């Protein structure tokens, strides 16, 4: 998809809920033309395919740095979901959570802002955080 200012929106062709996030990038007309040429010549099925492949290649080439950083920072890699029962158990145990995720952190839709504030001391997510707008607003000062 392209608008007049050469924005490209890259998403999975048929994403499942929670499997992908939409990003927007700006490209100059020469870069965009080269991408279109490669698509036209059959190297890629569409713009998104080229962009996704390029990103994956870069992530793979930096894989060791990513692995070392994940280990050093004690990040959860992948998906970390917090249900209402998880947070109620933490609250009952007198624990507060410091959530650190590289990937997707999600807080269940039935978690109240009050429960989130009582049990989550900090959130650091490299990727995406899924939570209700009310929970995100209540935790705004704790999200890094």
């Amino acid at each position: 998809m392209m608008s007049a200012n050469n924005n490209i929106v890259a998403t999975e062709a048929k994403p499942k809920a929670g499997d992908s996030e939409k990003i927007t990038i700006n490209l100059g007309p020469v870069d965009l033309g080269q991408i279109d040429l490669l698509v036209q010549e059959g190297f890629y099925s569409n713009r998104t395919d080229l962009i996704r492949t390029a990103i994956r290649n870069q992530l793979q080439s930096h894989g060791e740095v990513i692995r070392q950083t994940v280990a050093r920072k004690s990040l959860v890699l992948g998906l970390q979901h917090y249900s209402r029962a998880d947070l109620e158990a933490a609250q009952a145990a007198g624990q507060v959570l410091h959530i650190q995720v590289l990937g997707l952190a999600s807080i269940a839709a039935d978690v109240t802002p009050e429960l989130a504030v009582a049990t989550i001391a900090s959130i650091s997510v490299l990727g995406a955080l899924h939570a209700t707008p009310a929970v995100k607003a209540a935790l705004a000062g704790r999200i890094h």
Side-chain angles (χ1 to χ4, degrees), residues 11 13-14 27 35 46 55-56 62 67-68 71 75 78 81 85 88 91 116 128 130 141-142:
T11 60
K14 290 188 178 188
L27 294 174
I35 290 171
N46 53 45
I55 290 169
R56 287 181 181 149
H62 297 288
R67 281 186 287 284
Q68 290 175 4
L75 297 169
H81 178 71
E88 287 172 343
Q91 186 176 38
H130 289 183
R142 301 175 187 194

Side-chain angles (χ1 to χ4, degrees), residues 2-138:
M2 187 178 103
S3 66
N5 63 358
N6 296 332
N7 286 340
I8 292 181
V9 177
T11 60
E12 296 289 333
K14 290 188 178 188
K16 297 177 211 161
D19 283 352
S20 67
E21 292 287 323
K22 184 184 294 187
I23 63 168
T24 302
I25 61 172
N26 296 319
L27 294 174
V30 174
D31 291 337
L32 191 56
Q34 290 177 33
I35 290 171
D36 287 343
L37 179 67
L38 291 173
V39 169
Q40 185 179 37
E41 292 298 311
F43 288 94
Y44 299 93
S45 59
N46 53 45
R47 292 173 173 174
T48 299
D49 184 32
L50 180 143
I51 293 165
R52 189 181 304 114
T53 299
I55 290 169
R56 287 181 181 149
N57 288 341
Q58 285 299 303
L59 293 173
Q60 183 178 6
S61 73
H62 297 288
E64 187 56 32
V65 170
I66 292 170
R67 281 186 287 284
Q68 290 175 4
T69 304
V70 166
R72 185 179 73 245
K73 292 188 174 190
S74 300
L75 297 169
V76 172
L77 179 60
L79 169 65
Q80 184 69 45
H81 178 71
Y82 295 90
S83 68
R84 181 179 184 141
D86 294 333
L87 298 184
E88 287 172 343
Q91 186 176 38
Q95 298 174 333
V96 292
L97 303 175
H98 297 274
I99 298 170
Q100 297 186 102
V101 176
L102 189 155
L104 172 65
S106 68
I107 300 171
D110 63 347
V111 170
T112 65
E114 296 78 20
L115 179 60
V117 167
T119 56
I120 300 172
S122 66
I123 300 178
S124 177
V125 179
L126 299 169
L129 171 63
H130 289 183
T132 64
V135 166
K136 284 183 177 181

